[in-house]
Amino acid sequence: MRAIQQSAWGEAETMALVEVEEPAPVFGEVLVRVMAAAVNPVDVFTRRGQAYNRVLDLPFINGWDVAGTVVKTGYGTTRFRPGDRVFGMPWFPRAAGCYAEYVTAPARHFARMPEGLSFTEAAALPLAGLTAWQMLTEVAAVAPGQRILVAGAAGGVGHLAVQIAKARGAHVTGTASAAKHAFVRGLGADEVIDHTTTEVSAAARDMDVVVQMFGGEAGLKALECLRPGGVLVSGQAAWTPGLHERADELGVRAAAYLVDPDGAGLDALAGLVTEGWLKVHVDAVFPLAEAAEAHDLVGSGRTKGKVVLAVGEMD
């Protein structure tokens, strides 16, 4: 099968289109013919050797977001049958190898694609969608009427977090550059702050929850947006020294978070799509052979929503 593989950590040029052996499913797994695979910021950081490389081996096939068709099931697998259209985030943060024509993973790392969703859209949903879903529902337990701040509301996680928080009855404020304000408002945000011209910690106060995918000083400043007892759910806590100590000083809580593969969560996201609460925005689509160009675009930080690789025939 064709796959995008790298034999060294580094820039996008380290990735190459190669032929590798097709995987086979073992007990409880499915073999999925990949139609589309999304590119996430974590893919870029991993490629550079800046993320989860300590649990990964070279040569490495990147990617954790995938949509496709079940080809074969391993012994004991009852969740799916050959021909089922599925989407998922297998194995994260261990190697999943989604920039390839076939992947294998436990059946419960996938869910059935909701009706009306294309392979491209379905591939864009799992990692960012599960991140937003788990942050808001499992960690923060967002309830109707709460005030939620979504930092980076036009991004992959952010644009889905805005919609999920609104579906749960929250009042949502998002941050984005001025050029993206109309997009964020179109997602349902009640207020939008231009983080390039405004001090967010001064403009957004008394929040019950802050969803934050940035680390460093931005993570520390986000704590100042919370009411006493509020919670910051951070996807970059490991890159924010002093986060928990500063939270204690302010009388708020900081929760470090890493997304998990979760078939039940994927089912919940599919339900929101079907009910009309959730729409994934795909900003650009590249063929598999142009994965390096896709990485450059994602790494630029100029996208809205998600970037996707088209892998198979979209029948």
Side-chain angles (χ1 to χ4, degrees):
M1 68 173 185
R2 297 184 309 149
I4 297 292
Q5 188 182 74
Q6 60 184 113
S7 56
W9 308 119
E11 294 307 310
E13 293 73 21
T14 60
M15 299 187 297
L17 185 65
V18 299
E19 287 284 336
V20 297
E21 187 175 351
E22 180 184 312
V26 298
F27 308 114
E29 292 187 347
V30 291
L31 172 67
V32 175
R33 178 188 174 211
V34 178
M35 296 291 106
V39 178
N40 292 286
V42 69
D43 302 12
V44 177
F45 294 133
T46 298
R47 186 207 72 221
R48 294 172 179 165
Q50 298 171 332
Y52 302 106
N53 306 76
R54 62 184 179 276
V55 298
L56 302 169
D57 296 316
L58 293 169
F60 173 64
I61 299 173
N62 209 327
W64 287 277
D65 261 339
V66 65
T69 304
V70 174
V71 176
K72 187 184 299 183
T73 60
Y75 176 80
T77 301
T78 59
R79 185 171 171 85
F80 303 112
R81 296 180 179 179
D84 286 342
R85 294 185 171 200
V86 299
F87 71 118
M89 186 198 71
W91 297 115
F92 187 83
R94 294 165 55 192
C98 292
Y99 295 2
E101 292 181 310
Y102 294 90
V103 298
T104 57
R108 294 192 181 277
H109 289 188
F110 297 94
R112 284 178 176 80
M113 285 174 46
E115 293 293 330
L117 206 63
S118 68
F119 282 117
T120 300
E121 292 168 324
L125 184 55
L127 193 150
L130 282 177
T131 299
W133 174 259
Q134 293 171 3
M135 280 181 157
L136 290 167
T137 68
E138 298 179 7
V139 182
V142 169
Q146 287 191 316
R147 293 169 52 81
I148 313 301
L149 174 65
V150 178
V157 173
H159 89 288
L160 298 173
V162 169
Q163 297 174 73
I164 293 169
K166 289 302 296 181
R168 296 180 71 83
H171 180 282
V172 180
T173 300
T175 71
S177 61
K180 298 177 181 179
H181 279 205
F183 173 70
V184 175
R185 289 192 182 278
L187 300 170
D190 300 285
E191 302 175 53
V192 189
I193 298 170
D194 186 349
H195 65 276
T196 68
T197 61
T198 304
E199 180 61 56
V200 176
S201 60
R205 307 293 297 180
D206 297 320
M207 295 291 163
D208 295 287
V209 179
V210 175
V211 171
Q212 173 73 276
M213 296 303 296
F214 312 118
E217 185 62 25
L220 293 173
K221 293 295 290 184
L223 294 170
E224 299 176 16
C225 298
L226 292 165
R227 63 163 177 78
V231 58
L232 165 69
V233 190
S234 172
Q236 295 285 317
W239 289 269
T240 311
L243 179 67
H244 298 286
E245 292 81 0
R246 179 58 176 158
D248 289 342
E249 291 174 3
L250 294 173
V252 300
R253 182 165 66 93
Y257 168 81
L258 182 64
V259 65
D260 293 321
D262 178 11
L266 292 171
D267 286 336
L269 292 173
L272 289 176
V273 170
T274 300
E275 294 164 8
W277 284 105
L278 186 64
K279 182 175 177 60
V280 61
H281 179 80
V282 176
D283 203 39
V285 180
F286 293 82
L288 179 64
E290 295 179 12
E293 289 82 351
H295 269 231
D296 286 340
L297 178 58
V298 172
S300 74
R302 297 193 303 269
T303 58
K304 292 186 293 186
K306 297 295 294 292
V307 173
V308 176
L309 300 175
V311 180
E313 295 293 330
M314 301 290 185
D315 51 0

